[in-house]
């Protein structure tokens, strides 16, 4: 990407060699009284953006990073814009953030500000007609559902020459309320399948985001935003001298390799921006008592056998999930907030259970939902009214909870005391931080808009999380929001682990597990594995296989299993421990493409420093699939027990596939070196296999083998 200026001083960003009219102003801004030059659904072609003129720029090296800051100014309003573009030499990403300062003499009410705006995106023929759009729907129990279609299915050709104007619409996705990924992941892509070009982006915000893409001057464009007035009730009044900074966003662009290459670049970028922590390389096995097991009803007696069994199986962290604080016959949901252990559930004190966890060689962990206070909690009355979200002067209530505003010192001090007690006094080393309500557009403090209040809380929340890790450097923080409903890299740049779903059906989890590395680095993406005593051996191996490529959230009544079942669980954890050192340096790929929700066969692979690994699942065909033609996304007939996948980076190499788990898998494999294709047979639906693909040092004829 290059930033270029015209004779009038307007600066625009795009790919080199693209026509000037197809590019966008470097920053797009709408403000009350200063809208767009062409009205419609788009937030581009803004009057202020068109007027912003070049003032200065600076490029400096900052360690491995290179930072370019470009200064712009609007002569009409006096608004100054400073866009900061960051990259690392040799990489294919561009990270952007915009700072606005009101240098004029009158207040300016902002309604939308782009973080990054890029034009001139075309396919190999120089037009947008061959581009494919990829986006991810997201929902509770159904996260990371990637979809794709031709860009022209959403952005139709309107014959600009006949009308003299662009269209008024675009393809857009945006968040709603405080679940940043409650509807969609804050990311998407455009690809040109004929050339392998790909443009992949993510917006790093938990407080509102929106992206749009469409056609402009015969090319595709992309504009990335944080919260705005139309979608998030966000506006920001800038008095003279005041400033505002947007949320960050990143764009990855690759010339070859398509989505797999782009996600590889994005994975490496995510590793660069996050806070360093030993958990990113240690990857301990986590047992959590919740899913399909105690389900928020722990007691000392129920936990004791699970602690013993988890330790014997090889778990290294044991998390007591929701309910440990519940001492109320009316239930804990609307009474949370004080975070004191229940005397009824732990007659001898919770410390006895935490000590038992340590004696079995595991780090104790607890579930916490810090941002909420139940309406029946004493904290609802003792904390100041200003410590809670309010709109129209009324405290917000959602699903029996109030929401803390972490900009208020009383709210933050309360949570600091809680965490310092749990970690410093109780010896807890892992906190699962959940977030189970969508509080809506935000909070109004004084004259601020609700969306601005949510953004302010969001930034204070991130600062609070960082302060916990400053005081307790070994503490591990898990990001959970009813599973994956706040799955964004504002959060994941600070916390260590992301819960990918609350999905309890092991047959429904594979498409989430297979796509989890699109939303988080593999070493941060936690997948539930909940083997149960009533499961057959195939079912146990099936649920465990899904967790082996990333982070394991083990659950289930391990203490009630037969020796054969328990050994199968323990062997899965042993396999994981043998390969986990490779995961933090690996890059993901999808040899069958990104999974669809109803696919019969799913595949996810990762390239490590020493080998390639591949997980494959075979499920029952979707209802209605029997006897008919396979669905477009289903690459194999419903009754086909064999799947062939292409592994492009191993094409031409002589590869030895080894089944790692289950060790007694009755799968068969065949490798075609010329085509780089692996054929795998799983004779029964509801089975899965994890394979290691090792490149042989020589071919069968004794000549050297090179991938």
């Amino acid at each position: 990407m290059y930033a270029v200026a015209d004779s009038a001083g307007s600066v625009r960003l795009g790919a080199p060699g693209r026509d000037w009219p197809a590019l966008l102003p470097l920053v797009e801004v709408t403000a009350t009284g200063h809208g767009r030059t062409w009205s419609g659904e788009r937030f581009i072609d803004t009057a202020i953006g068109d007027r912003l003129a070049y003032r200065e720029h600076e490029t400096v090296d900052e360690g491995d990073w290179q930072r370019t800051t470009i200064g712009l100014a609007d002569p009409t309003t006096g608004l100054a814009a400073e866009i900061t573009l960051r990259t690392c030499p040799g990489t294919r990403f561009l990270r952007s953030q915009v700072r606005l300062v009101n240098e004029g003499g009158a207040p300016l009410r902002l309604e939308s500000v782009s973080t990054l705006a890029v034009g001139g995106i075309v396919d190999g023929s120089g037009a947008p007609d061959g581009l494919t759009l990829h986006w991810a729907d997201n929902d509770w129990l159904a996260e990371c559902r990637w979809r794709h279609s031709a860009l022209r299915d959403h952005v139709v050709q309107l014959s600009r020459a006949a009308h003299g104007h662009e269209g008024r619409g675009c393809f857009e996705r945006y968040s709603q309320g405080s679940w940043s990924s409650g509807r969609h992941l804050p990311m998407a892509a455009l690809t040109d399948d004929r050339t392998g070009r790909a443009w992949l982006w993510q917006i790093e915000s938990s407080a509102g985001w929106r992206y749009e893409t469409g056609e402009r001057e015969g090319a595709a464009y992309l504009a990335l935003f944080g919260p705005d007035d139309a979608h998030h009730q966000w506006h920001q009044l800038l008095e003279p001298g005041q400033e505002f900074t947007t949320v960050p966003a990143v764009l990855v662009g690759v010339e070859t390799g398509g989505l797999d290459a782009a996600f590889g670049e994005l994975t490496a970028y995510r590793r660069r921006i996050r806070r360093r922590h030993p958990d990113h390389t240690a990857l301990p096995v986590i047992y959590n008592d919740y899913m399909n097991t105690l389900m928020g009803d722990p007691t000392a007696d129920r936990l004791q056998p699970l602690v013993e069994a988890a330790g014997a199986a090889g778990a290294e962290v044991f998390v007591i999930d929701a309910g440990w604080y519940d001492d109320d016959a009316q239930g804990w949901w609307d009474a949370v907030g004080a975070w004191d252990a229940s005397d009824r559930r732990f007659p001898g004190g919770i410390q006895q259970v935490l000590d038992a966890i340590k004696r079995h060689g595991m780090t104790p962990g607890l579930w916490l939902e810090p941002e909420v206070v139940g309406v029946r909690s004493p904290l609802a009355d003792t904390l100041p009214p200003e410590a809670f979200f309010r709109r129209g002067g009324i405290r917000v209530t959602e699903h029996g909870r109030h929401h803390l505003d972490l900009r208020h010192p009383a709210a933050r001090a309360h949570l600091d005391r809680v965490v310092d007690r749990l970690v410093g006094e109780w010896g807890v080393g892992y906190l699962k931080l959940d977030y189970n309500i969508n509080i809506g557009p935000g909070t109004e403090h004084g004259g601020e808009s609700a969306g601005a209040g949510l953004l302010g809380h969001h930034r204070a929340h991130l600062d609070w999380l960082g302060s916990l890790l400053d005081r307790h450097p070994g503490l591990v923080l898990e990001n959970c929001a009813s599973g994956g409903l706040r799955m964004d890299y504002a959060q994941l740049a600070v916390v260590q682990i992301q819960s990918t779903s609350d999905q309890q059906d092991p047959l429904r989890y594979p498409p989430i597990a297979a796509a989890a590395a699109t939303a988080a680095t593999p070493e941060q993406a936690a997948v539930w594995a909940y083997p149960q005593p009533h499961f057959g051996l195939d079912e146990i191996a099936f649920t465990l296989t899904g967790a082996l490529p990333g982070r394991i959230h083990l659950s289930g009544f391990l203490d009630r299993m037969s020796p054969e079942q328990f050994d199968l669980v323990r062997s899965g954890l042993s396999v994981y421990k043998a390969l986990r050192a490779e995961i933090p340096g690996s890059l993901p790929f999808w040899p069958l493409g990104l999974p669809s929700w109803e696919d019969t066969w799913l595949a996810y692979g990762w390239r490590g420093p020493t080998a390639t690994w591949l997980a494959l699942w075979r499920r029952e065909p979707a209802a209605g699939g029997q006897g008919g033609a396979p669905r477009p996304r289903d690459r194999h007939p419903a009754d086909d027990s064999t799947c062939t996948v292409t592994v492009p980076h191993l094409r031409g190499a002589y590869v030895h596939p080894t089944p790692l788990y289950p060790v007694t898998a009755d799968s068969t494999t065949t490798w075609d070196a010329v085509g780089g294709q692996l054929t795998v047979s799983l004779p029964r639906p509801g089975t899965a296999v994890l394979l290691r693909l090792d490149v042989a040092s020589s071919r069968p004829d004794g000549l050297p083998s090179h991938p």
Side-chain angles (χ1 to χ4, degrees), residues 11 25-29 46 48-50 52 72 81 83 98 100 113-114 117:
V11 183
L26 201 56
V27 180
E28 296 277 23
V29 181
T46 61
I48 292 178
D50 189 57
L52 286 173
L72 310 164
I83 183 169
V98 172
L100 300 180
V113 186
S114 69

Side-chain angles (χ1 to χ4, degrees), residues 9 23 34 64 73 193 248 286 314 416 422 443 467 576 586 621 658 695 701:
L23 306 184
H34 304 269
D64 294 338
D193 296 337
I286 302 156
D416 281 342
L422 302 185
T443 180
S467 73
Y576 178 76
S586 70
T658 303
V695 176
D701 58 10

Side-chain angles (χ1 to χ4, degrees), residues 3 126 342 465 627 635:
S342 165
L465 293 173
R635 292 87 166 170

Side-chain angles (χ1 to χ4, degrees), residues 267-287:
T267 299
Y269 161 81
R270 288 167 168 172
R271 288 170 174 153
R272 287 180 182 270
I273 66 166
R274 69 191 178 191
R275 180 186 179 112
R276 293 189 177 184
H277 195 283
D279 183 78
H280 293 147
T281 53
L283 312 193
V285 174
I286 302 156
Y287 182 94

